[in-house]
């Protein structure tokens, strides 16, 4: 890259040198662009060089005309040029999920040669999918669409109270829904492939495995192997559902890898686990009118605010989802084949010798996920991996202990496991590696929503975590129950929805955590998350005029603290 001015004679000498060496170069004439002066100031700050030409070779600052000719004479220029030629690619991304694709596309935009390797190992039931990773294929997208399908069923029930009259029997058709969802996902898979092609990213549907430093083996579904090298690598392989390790689990149970493309209605379902995946799936399956039971080993929504988690569970239980607490499965037996078949589940108490049995059509496992880091050859190049979790430790710029290897997304240790986080981290990583940016991904105050029948949105700390960090005497919690206006005519549960903020009394009542349980919780939380990034305080919330009548306005009228013990029940809109 040559930064120059159109009238500079020394630039012409540099161009002639590069041309004689057959080197491609880009030149920016600073007197021909509007922001040339500011660019030259930035170059001065970065390089401490006032004059032009100002030359970079493969992101390494060489200097001016004399320096480039000196580098040519002593062999340094050839060495710098060969660093780029020594490898097939500037960047290889292992994993074609949200984070990997974000990083690959951004690197390509910055002019780098990029390869994406993506391969889905089929689940024990044979499920696999296209480009895009978990979120698009077996996560956020199909989950939210099935959640919406269940909400429409509730809306149908509400509609009669609003004057809608219909006499025909209304029922849910699983096959129609899954076909529509899979069709939409297929269109997304295609759009991702097209986006890579348009940006010049090479996409190979093969399994990537390191064989030596800077070198990777790619194996396709036919077992054919190719080898590729790169200057830098990004590991974005994500996670897959965990199995129980008991008799019959992989033979007869399904996971979220299988549910969203299941060709038949699952029928009476046992959901094993209490993660957000477990409760979301249990919620929409019950919303379709299915008999659903959740088998819980310990607590609901580990890592989330436990008051909110229990309210989520209580609402689900009140609306037909059964919970069996403090039990774990020990064996799964097939009683009858079919679509669905019949399975007998034997479970044991976590608190004693008691055992129970139950018969279900489908058993859905949602007990957690394991990082896909064990069979990609990381040990061959010395990348450290947490042996217990399979996650990869990295510094604050996502760099592993091996300098040319980076990790983003769910495989990264100690970071939120959310699609938008991976997308942001991937984009910023590419800009730091191949652009001029120094911006790091900010992993604090990341908002999220659990799409249970009554949605739970949150940003910041749970109440438990806030008390642990700041001590009980320094934390103030403002809270309220509320009744959405849309629920009043429909006769739905009064004083079930709930909102609270957790504030630091020692810092102007700065909001440490914001939590809401109610309709459209994700939409509410997203807006307040931006405010929390700006250092939101309780006073600023009180000074904000709410939009009436909405659910989000409750955060502008919070007056009652938990410490006061006053009644928070609402009697009007």
């Amino acid at each position: 890259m040559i930064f120059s001015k159109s009238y500079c004679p020394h630039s012409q000498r540099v161009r002639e040198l590069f041309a004689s060496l057959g080197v491609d170069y880009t030149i920016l004439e600073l007197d021909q662009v509007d922001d040339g002066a500011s660019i030259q100031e930035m170059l001065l700050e970065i390089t401490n060089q006032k004059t032009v030409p100002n030359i970079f070779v493969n992101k390494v600052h060489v200097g001016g005309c004399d320096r480039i000719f000196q580098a040519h004479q002593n062999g340094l220029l050839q060495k710098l040029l060969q660093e780029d030629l020594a490898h097939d690619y500037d960047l290889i991304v292992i994993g074609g999920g949200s984070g990997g694709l974000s990083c690959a596309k951004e690197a390509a935009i910055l002019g780098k040669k990029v390869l994406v390797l993506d391969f889905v190992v089929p689940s024990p039931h044979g499920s696999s999918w296209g480009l895009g990773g978990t979120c698009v294929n077996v996560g956020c997208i199909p989950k939210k669409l099935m959640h919406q399908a269940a909400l429409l069923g509730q809306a149908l029930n509400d509609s009669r109270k609003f004057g809608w009259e219909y006499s025909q029997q209304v029922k849910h058709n699983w096959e129609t829904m899954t076909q529509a969802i899979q069709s939409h996902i297929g269109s997304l898979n295609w759009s991702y492939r097209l986006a890579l092609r348009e940006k010049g990213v090479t996409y190979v549907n093969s399994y990537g495995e390191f064989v030596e430093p800077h070198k990777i083996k790619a194996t396709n579904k036919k077992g054919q192997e190719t080898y590729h090298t790169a200057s830098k690598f990004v590991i974005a392989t994500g996670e897959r559902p965990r199995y129980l390790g008991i008799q019959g689990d992989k033979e007869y149970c399904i996971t979220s890898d299988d549910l969203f493309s299941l060709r038949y209605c699952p029928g009476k379902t046992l959901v094993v686990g209490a993660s957000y995946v477990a409760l979301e799936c249990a919620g929409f399956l019950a919303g379709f009118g299915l008999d659903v039971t959740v088998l819980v080993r310990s607590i609901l929504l580990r890592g989330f605010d436990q008051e909110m988690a229990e309210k989520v569970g209580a609402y689900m239980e009140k609306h037909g989802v059964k919970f069996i607490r403090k039990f774990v499965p020990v064996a799964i037996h097939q009683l009858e084949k079919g679509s669905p078949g019949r399975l007998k589940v034997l479970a044991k108490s976590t608190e004693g010798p008691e055992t129970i049995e139950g018969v279900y059509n489908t058993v859905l496992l949602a007990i957690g996920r394991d990082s896909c880091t064990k069979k990609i050859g990381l040990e061959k190049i010395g990348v450290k991996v947490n042996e217990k979790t399979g996650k990869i430790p990295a510094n604050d710029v996502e760099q592993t202990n091996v300098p040319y290897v980076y990790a983003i997304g769910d495989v990264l240790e100690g970071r939120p496991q959310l699609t938008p986080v991976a997308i942001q981290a991937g984009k910023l990583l590419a800009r730091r590696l191949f652009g001029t940016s120094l911006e790091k991904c900010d992993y604090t105050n990341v908002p999220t929503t659990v799409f249970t029948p009554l949605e739970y949105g949150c940003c910041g700390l749970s109440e438990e975590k806030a008390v642990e960090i700041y001590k009980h005497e320094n934390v103030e919690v403002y809270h309220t129950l509320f009744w959405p206006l849309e629920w009043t005519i429909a006769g739905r549960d009064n004083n079930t929805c709930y909102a609270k903020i957790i504030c630091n009394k020692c810092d102007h009542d700065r909001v440490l955590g914001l939590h809401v349980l109610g309709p459209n919780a994700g939409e509410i939380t997203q807006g307040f998350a931006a405010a929390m990034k700006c250092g939101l305080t309780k006073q600023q919330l009180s000074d904000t005029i709410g939009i009436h009548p909405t659910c989000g306005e409750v955060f502008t009228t919070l007056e009652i603290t938990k410490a006061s013990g006053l009644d928070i029940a609402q009697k009007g809109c």
Side-chain angles (χ1 to χ4, degrees):
M1 180 73 191
I2 305 171
F3 293 92
S4 180
K5 292 183 179 177
S6 58
Y7 51 80
C8 176
H10 302 295
S11 295
Q12 184 59 36
R13 291 182 60 207
V14 174
R15 291 189 217 186
E16 290 171 357
L17 172 63
F18 282 162
S20 70
L21 296 173
V23 174
D24 292 329
Y25 61 88
T26 302
I27 187 163
L28 181 65
E29 307 283 14
L30 298 179
D31 60 326
Q32 302 296 310
V33 293
D34 294 337
D35 55 349
S38 61
I39 293 174
Q40 190 159 8
E41 286 180 15
M42 183 183 70
L43 287 169
L44 173 61
E45 185 177 335
I46 295 172
T47 66
N48 202 32
Q49 177 183 326
K50 295 180 179 179
T51 59
V52 294
N54 200 335
I55 305 157
F56 291 77
V57 178
N58 287 331
K59 293 187 67 177
V60 176
H61 179 244
V62 179
C65 179
D66 290 342
R67 286 285 182 88
I68 202 74
F69 274 92
Q70 186 178 34
H72 176 49
Q73 289 171 0
N74 63 26
L76 175 61
L77 177 59
Q78 284 75 7
K79 185 178 178 182
L80 289 172
L81 293 170
Q82 284 168 1
E83 281 189 8
D84 192 44
L85 300 173
H87 300 112
D88 303 327
Y89 295 92
D90 298 303
L91 174 68
I92 292 179
V93 178
I94 310 170
S98 303
L101 294 180
S102 172
C103 186
K105 289 187 288 186
E106 192 68 20
I109 289 171
L110 293 167
K112 295 303 172 182
K113 188 177 181 183
V114 184
L115 168 67
V116 171
L117 293 174
D118 185 62
F119 186 86
V120 178
V121 178
S123 74
H125 279 259
S127 301
S128 62
W129 45 88
L131 185 63
T134 295
C135 174
V136 169
N137 294 283
V138 289
C140 323
I141 299 300
K143 175 270 300 289
K144 180 73 181 294
L145 291 172
M146 288 197 176
H147 171 63
Q148 174 64 14
L151 292 181
L152 289 172
Q154 178 66 59
L156 278 170
N157 291 332
D158 292 349
S159 69
R160 293 184 185 275
K161 297 286 185 68
F162 284 89
W164 289 95
E165 298 176 357
Y166 49 91
S167 56
Q168 66 268 37
Q169 180 73 25
V170 177
K171 62 179 182 178
H172 183 262
N173 187 297
W174 176 271
E175 290 80 6
T176 299
M177 176 189 67
T178 52
Q179 286 171 12
I181 290 173
Q182 289 304 310
S183 177
H184 176 64
I185 291 171
S187 70
L188 295 177
N189 297 147
W190 172 250
S191 70
Y192 290 137
R193 294 187 69 164
L194 187 61
L196 292 182
R197 187 184 308 164
E198 289 175 344
K199 290 176 173 58
V201 176
T202 301
Y203 162 61
V204 177
N205 183 206
S206 293
Y207 188 92
E209 179 184 356
F210 285 100
V211 291
E212 61 184 65
H214 290 282
K215 189 173 185 179
I216 200 162
K217 177 176 71 174
T219 308
N220 66 18
K221 61 182 178 181
K222 295 180 180 179
Q224 297 168 330
E225 298 176 355
T226 55
Y227 293 84
H228 310 274
T229 61
S231 300
K232 294 179 175 63
F233 292 82
V234 171
I235 302 166
T237 47
E239 297 186 318
R240 296 291 291 271
R242 185 178 304 145
Y243 283 81
L244 291 162
I246 63 172
Q247 180 184 351
D249 64 344
K250 290 187 177 179
E251 294 88 345
Y252 308 125
C253 300
I254 65 170
T255 69
S256 55
D257 279 358
D258 312 295
L259 178 65
F260 301 112
S261 57
L262 203 63
R263 291 187 177 87
Y264 54 84
C265 180
K268 183 181 179 181
T269 301
L270 176 70
V271 178
V272 181
S275 63
Y276 72 90
V277 175
L279 298 191
E280 288 174 339
C281 292
F284 64 66
L285 290 174
F288 302 149
L290 303 182
D291 184 336
V292 179
T293 301
V294 179
L295 196 66
V296 182
R297 177 177 62 88
S298 55
I299 62 173
L300 304 181
L301 297 177
R302 184 178 300 278
F304 288 87
D305 186 284
Q306 282 303 291
E307 179 185 30
M308 304 302 292
E310 285 302 317
K311 288 181 179 293
V312 167
Y315 182 87
M316 291 177 66
E317 200 157 16
K318 186 175 181 181
H319 289 264
V321 177
K322 296 182 283 290
F323 285 82
I324 301 174
R325 301 225 184 194
K326 307 293 185 181
F327 275 85
V328 293
V330 292
I332 316 286
H333 301 284
Q334 187 179 63
L335 300 178
E336 183 181 315
K337 292 183 178 181
S339 300
R342 291 174 68 241
L343 303 171
K344 182 172 76 173
V345 179
L346 177 66
K348 183 181 182 299
S349 170
T350 60
E351 299 180 325
E354 182 185 359
T355 60
I356 57 174
E357 290 184 358
V359 177
Y360 305 91
N361 298 118
T362 299
V363 177
L364 173 67
L365 303 182
I367 58 171
R369 298 171 67 81
D370 292 323
S371 296
C372 300
T373 55
K374 289 184 178 179
K375 297 180 180 179
I376 59 173
L378 295 180
E379 71 285 353
K380 294 175 184 174
I381 58 169
V383 174
K384 289 182 180 177
V385 177
N386 185 313
E387 291 184 8
K388 184 177 179 181
T389 64
K391 292 189 178 293
I392 301 172
N395 60 20
D396 62 351
V397 290
E398 291 81 46
Q399 186 180 42
T400 72
N401 66 298
V402 176
Y404 62 88
V405 179
Y406 298 77
I408 57 173
D410 290 358
V411 298
L412 196 55
E413 186 173 66
R415 298 290 186 249
Q417 296 175 228
L418 297 165
T419 294
V421 172
I423 292 171
Q424 179 82 334
K427 178 175 65 177
L428 295 179
L429 174 59
R431 289 177 181 175
R432 290 195 306 274
L433 291 178
F434 304 117
T436 58
S437 173
L438 298 176
E439 185 181 357
K440 302 172 186 177
C441 185
D442 183 359
Y443 292 101
T444 59
N445 287 340
V446 174
T448 190
T449 293
V450 182
F451 290 99
T452 38
L454 193 56
E455 296 177 10
Y456 164 37
C458 60
C459 182
L461 300 180
S462 66
E463 191 172 338
E464 295 89 348
K465 197 68 178 176
V467 169
E468 177 188 328
I469 295 172
Y470 296 95
K471 308 303 178 188
H472 188 273
E473 62 271 18
N474 299 322
V475 171
E476 191 80 88
V477 178
Y478 296 84
H479 67 152
T480 188
L481 292 163
F482 63 96
W483 195 15
L485 179 63
E486 298 86 343
W487 285 24
T488 56
I489 299 298
R492 293 176 65 184
D493 313 295
N494 189 5
N495 289 311
T496 297
C497 300
Y498 178 71
K500 71 175 177 180
I501 57 170
I502 302 151
C503 301
N504 182 0
K505 291 196 287 187
C506 299
D507 185 19
H508 309 288
D509 264 349
R510 198 166 308 283
V511 179
L512 302 171
L514 180 143
H515 302 261
V516 59
L517 182 69
N520 304 305
E523 307 298 338
I524 296 169
T525 307
Q526 183 67 79
F528 286 112
M532 286 185 65
K533 282 287 188 186
C534 300
L536 179 67
T537 65
K538 169 65 175 68
Q539 187 60 52
Q540 288 170 331
L541 278 174
S542 298
D543 292 343
T544 301
I545 297 173
I547 302 171
H548 187 70
T550 64
C551 294
E553 71 176 313
V554 298
F555 286 106
T556 69
T557 57
L558 290 171
E559 298 295 339
I560 299 175
T561 65
K562 269 193 178 181
S564 73
L566 296 176
D567 183 22
I568 57 172
Q570 300 296 302
K571 298 175 177 63
C573 68

